[in-house]
């Protein structure tokens, strides 16, 4: 097993369940258990990985109550995603899992919506007494937030601590907070992270122009301020960054700030947020500091 593969497996099992990926009895073959899914697949990694791609051998387990054809569908999706995301010299398991989870979740949501529509269509009105019933005001309904358009960085593992960042375009502080709340509420692994360090920079549209800059250390003292400073140096606007760290039991000292900025920069670059916008000299800055600078 190469060092790259060993580090990647350690990172994946730290971010997801400890048994997400493990070796099999066949040399070079590993079992990948898809998080929150009954399907697991067999992957074979060549000695040259990540300079050479892994091969999808087939399913390893499909669960007792899985619908017919579902395992074959998942296997096809895994092969398709792997073919799209693999880049020579770059590890790919984290990107594979995140893309796969997203596609399977979308499929489940569509299936659920279809079932709801079928149930609604089967309801028959027996008489006209229901004509006086007033439908609830849809404006009072709580809005459903769609998955934010996160762009993920590469995963870095250092002395068993795992770091990963994600960036997303935002237009207001309210949207940035909603994105963060949604992330923590829908991703159990993120919710269990030791720290979720955040920062954002936003320019309002209108006159006078107002900018908003904010950060949150989430217990990692000084990390949020450094993250915001990185964004200032890069000249990025209209974007937020979340850096998640899972502490591995070994103190990293100042190196942790270097890694935090490294994954944050990677997420910003991959998301296309590196082009600085011109600011008017009369701009007012509204800076709220939650963390300790």
């Amino acid at each position: 097993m190469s060092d790259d593969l060993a580090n990647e497996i350690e990172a994946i099992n730290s971010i997801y369940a400890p048994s997400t990926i493990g070796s099999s009895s066949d040399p070079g073959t590993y079992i990948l258990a898809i998080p929150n899914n009954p399907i697991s697949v067999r992957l074979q990694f060549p000695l040259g990985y990540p300079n050479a791609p892994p091969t999808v051998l087939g399913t390893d387990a499909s669960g007792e109550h899985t619908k017919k054809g579902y395992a074959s569908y998942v296997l096809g999706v895994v092969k398709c995603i792997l073919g799209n995301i693999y880049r020579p010299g770059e590890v790919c398991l984290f990107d594979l899992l995140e893309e796969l989870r997203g596609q399977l979740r979308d499929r489940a949501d569509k299936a659920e919506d279809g079932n709801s529509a079928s149930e609604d269509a089967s309801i028959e009105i027996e008489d006209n007494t229901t004509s006086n019933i007033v439908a609830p005001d849809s404006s009072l309904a709580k809005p459903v937030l769609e998955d934010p358009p996160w762009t993920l960085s590469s995963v870095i593992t250092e002395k068993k601590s795992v770091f990963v960042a994600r960036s997303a375009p935002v237009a207001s502080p309210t949207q940035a907070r909603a994105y963060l709340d949604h992330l923590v509420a829908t991703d159990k692994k993120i919710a269990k992270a030791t720290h979720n360090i955040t920062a954002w920079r936003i320019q309002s549209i209108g006159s006078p122009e107002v900018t908003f800059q904010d950060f949150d250390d989430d217990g990692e003292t000084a990390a949020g301020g450094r993250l915001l400073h990185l964004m200032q140096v890069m000249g990025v606007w209209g974007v937020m960054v979340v850096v998640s760290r899972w502490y591995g039991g070994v103190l990293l000292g100042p190196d942790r700030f270097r890694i935090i900025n490294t994954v944050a920069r990677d997420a910003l670059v991959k998301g296309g947020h590196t082009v600085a916008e011109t600011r008017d000299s009369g701009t007012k800055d509204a800076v709220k500091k939650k963390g300790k600078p």
Side-chain angles (χ1 to χ4, degrees):
M1 182 192 304
S2 67
D3 290 341
D4 286 330
L5 179 56
N7 290 335
E8 187 178 22
I9 289 175
E10 182 179 11
I12 291 296
N13 288 337
S14 297
I15 295 174
Y16 304 101
S19 58
T20 299
I21 182 167
S23 59
S24 72
S25 57
D26 298 327
T29 302
Y30 294 81
I31 308 301
L32 178 65
I34 302 171
N36 304 318
N37 194 285
I39 309 298
S40 59
V41 297
R42 299 170 66 242
L43 302 176
Q44 187 174 55
F45 291 84
L47 294 176
Y49 177 81
N51 294 320
T55 301
V56 182
L57 300 178
T59 56
D60 185 72
S62 58
E64 295 181 2
H65 306 291
T66 304
K67 291 184 178 180
K68 184 178 180 180
Y70 180 68
S72 297
Y73 165 79
V74 173
L75 187 64
V77 174
V78 171
K79 292 179 178 179
C80 181
I81 293 174
L82 189 59
N84 290 332
I85 67 169
Y86 172 75
R87 298 291 182 273
E90 298 181 8
V91 295
C92 60
L93 281 180
F94 181 75
D95 291 339
L96 170 64
L97 278 174
E98 285 298 298
E99 181 67 22
L100 180 60
R101 292 174 68 207
Q103 290 197 26
L104 295 180
R105 183 169 56 244
D106 290 344
R107 182 180 189 272
D109 289 344
K110 290 179 181 179
E112 184 176 347
D113 291 342
N115 291 337
S116 297
S118 298
E119 292 175 2
D120 292 342
S122 66
I123 298 177
E124 298 180 358
I125 299 177
E126 297 181 354
D127 52 44
N128 294 327
T129 58
T130 58
S131 59
N132 295 325
I133 298 177
V134 179
D137 186 354
S138 60
S139 65
L140 300 178
K142 185 177 180 180
V144 177
L145 180 66
E146 297 180 355
D147 287 346
W150 296 115
T151 298
L152 298 176
S153 72
S154 297
V155 179
I156 293 182
T157 303
E158 182 74 15
K159 297 180 181 178
K160 297 186 178 181
S161 280
V162 179
F163 298 80
V164 66
R166 63 195 70 217
S167 65
V170 287
S172 69
T174 300
Q175 185 181 35
R177 296 187 187 97
Y179 277 10
L180 178 61
D181 291 344
H182 181 273
L183 176 63
V184 174
T186 58
D187 194 318
K188 294 181 180 179
K189 211 61 180 177
I190 295 296
K192 293 179 180 179
T194 311
H195 309 289
N196 286 307
I197 307 148
T198 58
W200 59 74
R201 301 185 78 211
I202 301 166
Q203 284 182 319
S204 66
I205 299 176
S207 180
E209 185 182 84
V210 179
T211 66
F212 300 89
Q213 304 183 74
D214 201 355
F215 67 84
D216 188 351
D217 293 333
D218 194 30
E220 185 69 283
T221 303
R226 290 169 183 257
L227 188 57
L228 178 60
H229 179 66
L230 170 69
M231 299 175 71
Q232 293 169 338
V233 171
M234 294 179 69
V236 297
W237 289 99
V239 62
M240 71 178 297
V241 181
V242 181
V243 178
S244 302
R245 177 193 180 185
W246 293 265
Y247 180 58
V250 179
L251 295 175
L252 300 183
D255 277 351
R256 68 190 189 277
F257 298 122
R258 171 183 57 80
I259 300 172
I260 288 169
N261 277 9
T262 296
V263 293
R265 179 186 293 275
D266 187 36
L268 289 168
V269 171
K270 287 181 176 178
H273 303 294
T274 54
V275 179
E277 297 181 4
T278 303
R279 295 173 54 193
D280 181 47
S281 58
T283 297
K284 298 179 182 179
D285 290 337
V287 182
K288 301 178 182 178
K289 297 184 177 179
K290 294 182 181 178
K292 298 179 181 179

